[in-house]
Amino acid sequence: MSKQTYRVCFCFHRRFRLAVTEAPEEIKDLFSQYSENGIMTTDRLRNFLIEVQKQEKVTESDAQTIIDQLRHIHRKGLNLEAFLKYLFSDSNLPLHSRTVHHDMNAPLSHYFIYTGHNSYLTGNQLSSDCSDVPIKQALERGVRVIELDLWPNTTKDNVNVLHGRTLTTPVELLKCLKCIKEHAFTASDYPVVITLEDHLTPDLQAKVAQMATQTFQDILFTPGSESLKEFPSPESLKRRIIISTKPPKEYLEAKEVKEKENDPQKGKESGDEAAWGKEFTHQKSMSGLDDKHDLDEEDHNEEEDLDNGDTKLQQHEAPEYKRLITIHAGKPKGGLQECFKVDPDKVRRLSLSEQQLEKAVATYGKEIVSFTQRNILRVYPKGTRIDSSNYNPLIGWTHGAQMVAFNMQGHGRSLWLMQGMFRANGGCGYVKKPDFLLKTGPHNEVFDPKVKLPVKKTLKVTVYMGEGWYYDFRHTHFDAYSPPDFYARVGIAGVSADSIMKKTKTLEDNWVPTWNEEFEFPLTVPELALLRIEVHEYDMSEKDDFGGQTCIPVSELRSGIRAVPLHNERGEKYPSVKLLMRFEYF
């Protein structure tokens, strides 16, 4: 046996012994309480699952299955080693369910929908390649809304997808459509929405209609009438493709780039922020928020108007293209106050930039909540995010915005929240909005995100220990000469009153850190709360190294002691890295 092989084998056995011998005292005490003579039998394991793990419906057969899976460690039941192995196993994950369990029969406007922005870009917003590959990757992760920007090719006889007026290299529309058809339902059977930002002449719009019809055939949903009184449900649209765009006549006039504030020098980050994204802050009062005129002016320059009866322009529409549109989009004339007016006879989609939304919620917060009960609100990143970074999605979600559109090709804390939200409901890409965002009181009162509510429940989180870095990282990744110095950050992303981050102590020179620290999080709106978990390795001379992250919807979080898998910066799960944590509510 070589010295290197011996060293690796020695470290493996030493590491596992440490994981057992350094099991937290609370875990040892629980094992003692539910075992006899060092063995946890089927009956005793079932009692543990019911009383500690709060799995009231667990059967003796379920407990026996767990013991059978670990019988190679001890034949008669679970010893401490087997018990710890079970606690760290994939049979003991923190999510309540890996299957769809929300009511999927409500209108589309009743759901948060996993939404991409400029879904065809491989990198930054100015010079990266356009491709069908990021579309495929997004669909495989469960993204349900794909955005395509349509432009004429150089000879004006075909349609390309690219970020207009930039150096991005185009990809043919037909290639993107074929990719969507092939991968639309890989991760989820629920509908895929294609949002089109088209800059086409009527003849090319007709060509798009032909391409979509021929590519998607019977899976393409077309509405029976020009405008819908209510959106159909995700259940009724299973394995269907639907189109959302603005009425065709709005693209006949040339238009400059959407964002006025397109200065690439703004918004630069450094250090940890460049690596993982900024920490989240909720919007403060912004200058001019009470000045409706300022809001309306910015609003008017950002998006085209709705179809307001301009019959001269309507004569040039491509009727076969317009017939494909299920979710009509655009802004009415008159500014934001008009935007949020609800038409009882017609539903539509409204798009706002993240900056417009931040300004709008200060003045029209309750109107936005009311609007999103029947209509769809899409939020998209501001133009200065040329690096394809993202923003705080909670501002949109707390106001009922269904399509909070993100650049999926990047990474960072904002995207971790997005990925966390859509781990809910079996990862199907549709998450039912909380009832309070959908209800209207007897006097038309709706949820007001500005009002601080009383604490509804408190989440107690115990961070016991972590393991797996030794397997998933090079042994010199964190430090060339010594084991890593890990610390964990745990907190909540949600409404402003609930959002906070806390930190454990740093444990030096340990591949299997055992923190044994407790944190309490009072929650006023637990329905919108996301549990954030990060692990970093302390570095005295440089920025701290990244050791993993995850984000879990509190509404889906199981009580008890759970194995929490960590993910890399891009949201991909590590093969081995997990934390052992306990979640309790009171």
Side-chain angles (χ1 to χ4, degrees):
M1 181 183 292
S2 69
K3 288 183 179 179
Q4 179 65 19
T5 304
Y6 174 80
R7 187 183 75 81
V8 172
C9 290
F10 172 76
C11 287
F12 168 78
H13 291 297
R14 179 173 177 270
R15 184 209 62 78
F16 195 76
R17 276 205 313 275
L18 280 173
V20 173
T21 59
E22 290 191 359
E25 287 303 315
E26 186 175 330
I27 301 297
K28 292 178 182 177
D29 291 344
L30 283 167
F31 180 77
S32 298
Q33 181 182 341
Y34 288 93
S35 65
E36 187 175 6
N37 298 322
I39 297 297
M40 189 180 285
T41 60
T42 303
D43 286 344
R44 289 175 175 267
L45 174 58
R46 181 171 179 265
N47 290 339
F48 167 80
L49 295 173
I50 293 171
E51 294 168 12
V52 178
Q53 303 294 76
K54 307 303 180 186
Q55 296 173 219
E56 288 85 359
K57 296 180 180 179
V58 73
T59 64
E60 191 170 322
S61 176
D62 296 329
Q64 186 61 51
T65 299
I66 293 169
I67 289 175
D68 289 344
Q69 290 170 346
L70 296 163
R71 195 171 290 280
H72 61 283
I73 298 177
H74 198 287
R75 287 184 297 172
K76 294 183 179 180
L78 302 184
N79 62 8
L80 179 57
E81 179 183 338
F83 180 60
L84 194 60
K85 191 163 187 178
Y86 161 67
L87 290 178
F88 264 112
S89 74
D90 287 343
S91 301
N92 188 41
L93 298 177
L95 286 176
H96 264 297
S97 175
R98 296 189 228 183
T99 59
V100 175
H101 54 279
H102 293 180
D103 174 15
M104 302 302 285
N105 291 297
L108 288 174
S109 56
H110 288 207
Y111 300 84
F112 298 127
I113 310 173
Y114 205 175
T115 302
H117 172 257
N118 289 353
S119 305
Y120 50 85
L121 286 179
T122 57
N124 69 60
Q125 302 286 310
L126 292 183
S127 60
S128 65
D129 292 334
C130 302
S131 169
D132 60 334
V133 173
I135 296 172
K136 172 179 178 288
Q137 292 171 339
L139 291 169
E140 288 175 343
R141 292 186 187 119
V143 173
R144 298 290 85 192
V145 182
I146 299 295
E147 182 186 28
L148 303 178
D149 285 288
L150 309 184
W151 294 82
N153 66 354
T154 52
T155 54
K156 312 293 185 188
D157 61 353
N158 209 339
V159 180
N160 282 336
V161 174
L162 73 152
H163 197 196
R165 302 182 180 93
T166 68
L167 300 176
T168 55
T169 56
V171 59
E172 288 186 357
L173 170 63
L174 187 58
K175 188 174 184 180
C176 295
L177 297 181
K178 287 180 177 178
C179 175
I180 292 171
K181 181 184 180 183
E182 183 177 354
H183 301 285
F185 306 111
T186 303
S188 169
D189 283 341
Y190 287 95
V192 168
V193 181
I194 305 175
T195 58
L196 300 177
E197 290 286 338
D198 83 79
H199 308 268
L200 304 174
T201 53
D203 59 318
L204 288 179
Q205 289 170 352
K207 190 161 190 170
V208 170
Q210 183 181 28
M211 284 186 205
T213 302
Q214 291 178 352
T215 301
F216 298 130
Q217 298 180 358
D218 58 350
I219 67 170
L220 180 64
F221 177 82
T222 52
S225 60
E226 186 173 313
S227 60
L228 297 172
K229 189 168 184 177
E230 183 177 74
F231 289 119
S233 71
E235 190 67 31
S236 69
L237 294 170
K238 260 185 162 179
R239 300 190 72 84
R240 302 297 292 272
I241 306 284
I242 61 181
I243 304 294
S244 176
T245 188
K246 291 183 278 291
K249 62 101 175 174
E250 296 175 9
Y251 294 103
L252 291 177
E253 298 177 347
K255 184 164 176 61
E256 295 302 315
V257 181
K258 288 189 252 187
E259 297 284 350
K260 297 188 293 181
E261 66 284 335
N262 224 349
D263 180 0
Q265 296 304 312
K266 291 183 182 178
K268 296 214 172 177
E269 301 174 10
S270 60
D272 289 357
E273 289 185 352
W276 309 311
K278 291 182 179 180
E279 269 302 344
F280 300 104
T281 55
H282 283 257
Q283 72 274 12
K284 302 286 192 295
S285 178
M286 301 176 70
S287 61
L289 287 179
D290 294 328
D291 188 344
K292 176 180 173 296
H293 180 69
D294 287 348
L295 288 176
D296 292 347
E297 277 203 347
E298 181 177 338
D299 174 69
H300 188 74
N301 282 292
E302 293 267 345
E303 291 275 358
E304 292 84 355
D305 298 328
L306 269 176
D307 187 347
N308 277 338
D310 191 335
T311 53
K312 185 176 180 180
L313 287 174
Q314 288 174 10
Q315 292 170 2
H316 301 285
E317 293 174 359
E320 58 270 62
Y321 180 80
K322 190 168 186 177
R323 280 195 293 268
L324 298 183
I325 303 172
T326 297
I327 304 174
H328 284 254
K331 285 193 179 84
K333 290 179 174 160
L336 285 178
Q337 192 165 18
E338 292 298 316
C339 283
F340 301 128
K341 284 190 175 177
V342 176
D343 186 337
D345 298 316
K346 185 164 64 174
V347 289
R348 57 189 172 90
R349 191 199 89 202
L350 172 69
S351 286
L352 297 176
S353 72
E354 59 173 289
Q355 286 181 316
Q356 284 181 307
L357 179 67
E358 285 186 13
K359 290 183 177 181
V361 298
T363 308
Y364 304 109
K366 289 188 287 186
E367 288 83 353
I368 296 173
V369 172
S370 180
F371 176 84
T372 56
Q373 291 179 346
R374 295 191 66 245
N375 301 280
I376 289 175
L377 175 60
R378 172 180 167 267
V379 186
Y380 58 91
K382 61 185 178 182
T384 54
R385 295 190 182 277
I386 58 172
D387 58 352
S388 295
S389 60
N390 290 297
Y391 52 99
N392 183 358
L394 268 305
I395 299 171
W397 290 334
T398 55
H399 289 82
Q402 297 87 348
M403 296 182 177
V404 178
F406 262 36
N407 297 305
M408 298 295 174
Q409 69 271 39
H411 59 83
R413 288 187 168 113
S414 297
L415 192 54
W416 301 344
L417 288 189
M418 179 67 65
Q419 292 163 348
M421 166 65 87
F422 289 99
R423 290 190 178 106
N425 200 24
C428 75
Y430 287 81
V431 173
K432 188 79 160 52
K433 294 199 287 188
D435 286 344
F436 62 77
L437 285 173
L438 301 170
K439 288 181 178 176
T440 301
H443 303 292
N444 291 323
E445 63 268 27
V446 296
F447 174 70
D448 186 352
K450 288 182 185 176
V451 174
K452 186 172 180 179
L453 300 170
V455 172
K456 189 177 284 188
K457 66 168 70 171
T458 296
L459 172 63
K460 180 181 175 182
V461 177
T462 305
V463 186
Y464 289 125
M465 61 188 299
E467 69 139 9
W469 292 279
Y470 189 87
Y471 297 124
D472 295 349
F473 290 79
R474 287 180 293 106
H475 299 163
T476 56
H477 177 87
F478 297 108
D479 195 306
Y481 303 107
S482 64
D485 308 325
F486 287 127
Y487 64 89
R489 301 179 73 236
V490 183
I492 296 292
V495 298
S496 183
D498 297 347
S499 298
I500 191 172
M501 285 298 284
K502 300 181 180 182
K503 179 178 173 292
T504 68
K505 57 184 176 289
T506 299
L507 297 181
E508 295 183 359
D509 299 339
N510 203 328
W511 283 102
V512 188
T514 302
W515 293 286
N516 285 324
E517 294 194 43
E518 294 179 356
F519 304 97
E520 290 187 4
F521 301 103
L523 302 175
T524 61
V525 187
E527 299 90 342
L528 290 175
L530 297 164
L531 178 67
R532 296 176 53 198
I533 302 165
E534 299 177 13
V535 174
H536 301 279
E537 198 269 343
Y538 175 74
D539 193 315
M540 185 181 297
S541 57
E542 301 175 14
K543 74 177 180 68
D544 294 349
D545 293 314
F546 177 81
Q549 60 81 23
T550 195
C551 189
I552 305 168
V554 169
S555 62
E556 303 255 336
L557 193 61
R558 292 203 289 175
S559 297
I561 301 165
R562 303 294 172 187
V564 180
L566 297 189
H567 302 72
N568 64 17
E569 295 98 324
R570 299 189 64 82
E572 300 155 342
K573 189 165 74 169
Y574 289 120
S576 309
V577 177
K578 293 177 182 173
L579 298 184
L580 190 65
M581 306 178 72
R582 185 171 186 175
F583 308 111
E584 301 169 89
Y585 295 101
F586 57 90

